Structure formats: structure tokens, C-alpha cells
Amino acid sequence: MVKIKKYFKLMCIFSIMGLQMLGNLATMVPIFEKELVEKRNLISKEEILDSLSISKCGPGASIINMVSFIGYNIDGLCGGIFSTLGFIFYPIIFICIIAFSLDQFLDNVYVQSFFVGASACICVNATKSTISFGKDTLKEKKYILIFIITIIFELFTNISSIAFILIFAIIGFIINPQKKS
């Protein structure tokens, strides 16, 4: 019974975060950080960053991958399943409502105005997240160099973000080898 309550609580936490989802993965990272690290102390900031990196490499929606990884880090397989179910619960309801009345939503001036304002907030959240994780990650010159190279390639080439993650993961193994104790 205790486990069921724990999973239900986890599902509720993620369903509330799912309600706040507007935009993409980058907009959710500050929400994950605030709710799961600062407010509830369920996971570390490093685990969120690891989940973010892994989620970009997997198939499917990165946000769902990240929620699944975070839930798994919190409480294993069931944690991943219940976190994901909680996170997608309200968005699925909203998508169904919008799908049934799509024509009315597209032409509504209030809906259009909402998305104009929301877009600006999404940019701020993504920037805040980048700065927050950058402070923790970019402490050595070699990591700053990887960051700069990635920005240059990201801005001036059409190479996939997944390719960058995989390439620099390999470079990370080379420049920062982990020794067995």
C-alpha cells in the first residue's frame, strides 16, 4: 500500500508539471529543477542534466524520454512509468478538447494573443535553463571549448543535435576518462 501511495504521489507531481508544459524540452527544464531538485529534493541537478542528455539521443519525444528517465532515477521502472503517465495525463485531455474544436481555436484572437505572449516566456525559460546548467557544467576550459565549438556548428551547419551529443560524448570519454577504483 505504501508503494501505491508513493507512485500515486509521483504521478500527481508530474501531472502538475505536465499542466505547466508549454513549448519544448528546454522550457520544462527549469520547472523540473525547481519542483524536483529545489522544492522536493527528489533528484539532483546533475541527474536532471544527465536525463536531458540521454533523452535527446532516444527515439520519440525528448520531453517524454526525459520524464521517463527522471522517474526511473527517482524510483526505478515503476517510477518511470507513473511519472510518464502523470506527465501526459492533462496534455492528452487538452489535445482531445482542441482537436474537437480546432476550427474555433485557430481563428480566436485571444488564443493567438496568448501564443504571442507565451512565446516570449518560453524564450526566457530556455535562456534561464541554459545559464543555470552552464554555470554548473562550464567550469573548466575544455568544457568551455566544447561549448563554443558546439554553438558554432549548431548555428552555421545543418548537422543534427543528436550527432553533436554523440560526437562530444565520445570526446568526453577521451578527454575525461573515468578510472575504476
Side-chain angles (χ1 to χ4, degrees), residues 56-86:
K56 295 290 283 179
C57 295
S62 296
I63 187 73
I64 300 302
N65 292 344
M66 186 169 179
V67 167
S68 299
F69 285 123
I70 289 172
Y72 182 84
N73 283 337
I74 292 171
D75 201 1
L77 181 61
C78 288
I81 291 169
F82 281 92
S83 297
T84 304
L85 290 175

Side-chain angles (χ1 to χ4, degrees), residues 35-140:
E35 287 294 319
L36 302 174
V37 177
E38 296 169 11
K39 187 176 176 183
R40 301 179 193 279
N41 200 26
L42 290 173
I43 193 169
S44 71
K45 195 172 182 178
E46 291 76 26
E47 288 173 306
I48 288 182
L49 187 58
D50 291 343
S51 296
L52 176 63
S53 300
I54 293 169
S55 69
K56 295 290 283 179
C57 295
S62 296
I63 187 73
I64 300 302
N65 292 344
M66 186 169 179
V67 167
S68 299
F69 285 123
I70 289 172
Y72 182 84
N73 283 337
I74 292 171
D75 201 1
L77 181 61
C78 288
I81 291 169
F82 281 92
S83 297
T84 304
L85 290 175
F87 192 78
I88 65 172
F89 180 73
Y90 289 114
I92 286 176
I93 291 171
F94 292 142
I95 288 169
C96 290
I97 291 169
I98 291 170
F100 289 123
S101 55
L102 187 60
D103 293 336
Q104 295 171 353
F105 275 98
L106 291 177
D107 296 330
N108 187 310
V109 72
Y110 297 110
V111 171
Q112 292 173 355
S113 297
F114 168 78
F115 283 115
V116 168
S119 295
C121 292
I122 289 169
C123 291
V124 170
N125 280 341
T127 303
K128 179 182 173 187
S129 173
T130 302
I131 291 169
S132 174
F133 283 111
K135 286 178 183 177
D136 292 341
T137 306
L138 303 174
K139 292 183 178 177
E140 295 181 37

